[in-house]
Amino acid sequence: MIVLLLSKGIGMRCNSIQPELVNDHKNDKGKVLKNSESCRWPIKAVQALFDMPFNDLIFQAQQVHRQHHEANTVQLSTLISVKTGGCPEDCGYCPQAARYHTGVENQAMLSVDSVVTAAAAAKEQGATRFCMGAAWRGPKQRDIESVTEMISAVKALGMETCATLGMLKPGQAKQLGEAGLDYYNHNLDTSPDYYDAIISTREYQDRLDTLQEVRDAGINVCCGGIVGMGETRETRAGLVAQLANLNPYPESVPINHLVQVEGTPLYGTAKLDPLEFVRTIAVARITMPKAAVRLSAGRREMSEAVQALCFLAGANSIFYGDKLLTTGNPEVQQDQALLNKLGMRSLTA
């Protein structure tokens, strides 16, 4: 039984943030991150969680959640794009890739003043973490210098800071940390076996190397993935296993539901059943009990009922107020109305 497996810990944790590469269960490149008894969560154990009766899975996830987190609370983050479009990568889901015709207009780097104004508005509306994203393969040194100014200025407002800037070179994470960065987001996107179907311009190992740079710099890791990209349940289990076996697992785990954008290769992909998304939230909660599990991209397309099930399954963080306005943000008002209906409250800084 799954409960028995959980109580015994299912083996020991992996020894490194980058589990050994082996040749069993090969992908197209002949390698995949190791799934062995030395890892706390073998893929088969994670898939067994996915396969549980829905009510049993949700019940167990909520029990685990309450053991490690305050019930009925949610952490609010706001995300802003500080540099939009023109990315050279070929991620099949991304409208900011330069090679796809999606109608996204390129936008140069925002000024520090613009970012601080947006962050102050986000704080006023209840967000405690401000995330800054840029569409790069990886930042150049001049970009790092600009972003560190933004980080320091937002940090001075009394907010947690997060950045997602692509792959980091040695030493760049240290610079970000010295500027006051609390979290760095770098998603794995999917399982190692399915990765080549989504992106070809970056290796899976590149993502792991950036995560190691972040860890070595003493910055909290924000790392999750995207579901609804045509993957199987086994693929979703592989993604969660990979995340859960990082040592330590990420402090923040965003679970994204693919937002289909016309012009990207994944536009027209068969949509994922909403209950399968809820299952993914629950499995992430059980396998990474202390992490903040965030409802990320795709939440706007979910009904209130599905969002409520996600909170029941252990989600305790959301992106909030995506379109920042100084007054009368209707998305913020809708989110607050939903939290009020559910008897939930936002965490304070």
Side-chain angles (χ1 to χ4, degrees):
M1 292 179 63
I2 300 301
V3 174
L4 179 60
L5 290 173
L6 285 171
S7 67
K8 293 186 176 180
I10 314 184
M12 299 179 66
R13 298 180 69 93
C14 293
N15 295 323
S16 170
I17 196 170
Q18 300 178 31
E20 179 185 353
L21 289 169
V22 293
N23 288 327
D24 53 338
H25 304 292
K26 294 181 181 179
N27 62 11
D28 291 342
K29 297 188 182 300
K31 291 183 177 180
V32 66
L33 292 169
K34 186 176 181 182
N35 303 312
S36 72
E37 291 185 359
S38 65
C39 289
R40 182 172 180 268
W41 287 104
I43 290 178
K44 288 183 178 180
V46 176
Q47 186 158 2
L49 289 173
F50 270 101
D51 292 342
M52 289 176 69
F54 184 81
N55 287 346
D56 292 350
L57 174 61
I58 302 306
F59 178 68
Q60 184 169 322
Q62 181 62 201
Q63 286 183 309
V64 170
H65 180 74
R66 287 173 181 251
Q67 289 172 6
H68 298 279
H69 302 274
E70 187 176 356
N72 301 312
T73 59
V74 62
Q75 185 271 327
L76 306 179
S77 295
T78 292
L79 173 67
I80 188 174
S81 177
V82 300
K83 184 271 178 186
T84 304
C87 182
E89 303 277 24
D90 69 350
C91 305
Y93 52 81
C94 185
Q96 298 199 60
R99 66 192 68 204
Y100 307 139
H101 302 290
T102 62
V104 172
E105 295 183 3
N106 293 353
Q107 179 189 73
M109 181 89 76
L110 295 180
S111 67
V112 173
D113 287 346
S114 296
V115 171
V116 171
T117 298
K123 181 179 180 181
E124 180 68 23
Q125 293 166 347
T128 58
R129 186 178 306 163
F130 193 72
C131 305
M132 294 157 277
W136 291 313
R137 174 176 171 83
K140 297 180 175 63
Q141 182 55 35
R142 65 174 181 270
D143 301 322
I144 290 289
E145 291 169 3
S146 297
V147 173
T148 54
E149 285 187 60
M150 296 176 185
I151 291 168
S152 296
V154 173
K155 189 75 173 176
L157 297 176
M159 301 184 76
E160 290 184 323
T161 56
C162 178
T164 178
L165 312 173
M167 295 188 294
L168 296 179
K169 299 180 182 69
Q172 289 184 329
K174 182 180 178 182
Q175 290 178 269
L176 296 172
E178 289 173 347
L181 189 67
D182 296 298
Y183 289 82
Y184 191 84
N185 168 260
H186 199 62
N187 290 333
L188 294 181
D189 287 352
T190 189
S191 73
D193 284 338
Y194 196 59
Y195 186 77
D196 290 347
I198 304 301
I199 180 172
S200 67
T201 52
R202 184 187 306 190
E203 301 288 337
Y204 209 81
Q205 189 64 45
D206 293 332
R207 296 181 182 273
L208 294 171
D209 290 344
T210 288
L211 293 178
Q212 191 67 61
E213 290 289 331
V214 173
R215 278 286 178 221
D216 290 346
I219 300 171
N220 293 311
V221 168
C222 175
C223 182
I226 308 170
V227 299
M229 298 191 293
E231 77 283 348
T232 64
R233 178 177 282 184
E234 183 178 9
T235 298
R236 289 187 285 278
L239 167 64
V240 174
Q242 184 60 51
L243 292 167
N245 289 327
L246 296 175
N247 186 21
Y249 55 73
E251 284 80 11
S252 182
V253 180
I255 304 296
N256 300 275
H257 191 299
L258 176 67
V259 177
Q260 298 192 23
V261 178
E262 188 171 0
T264 60
L266 290 179
Y267 182 73
T269 301
K271 292 186 177 180
L272 185 71
D273 188 303
L275 295 184
E276 190 68 15
F277 183 84
V278 177
R279 284 182 181 273
T280 306
I281 295 290
V283 173
R285 168 52 65 220
I286 292 169
T287 56
M288 294 169 278
K290 294 182 180 180
V293 176
R294 179 176 300 113
L295 286 182
S296 297
R299 185 172 69 87
R300 295 294 174 198
E301 287 70 42
M302 297 176 192
S303 69
E304 289 189 344
V306 170
Q307 292 185 61
L309 282 173
C310 288
F311 290 129
L312 186 62
N316 62 342
S317 178
I318 59 173
F319 276 127
Y320 173 80
D322 297 331
K323 295 180 180 178
L324 285 172
L325 303 172
T326 54
T327 59
N329 187 334
E331 292 181 343
V332 166
Q333 293 166 3
Q334 290 166 13
D335 287 337
Q336 286 289 4
L338 175 60
L339 295 179
N340 289 338
K341 286 181 187 179
L342 299 177
M344 299 182 70
R345 63 178 180 82
S346 58
L347 292 172
T348 57

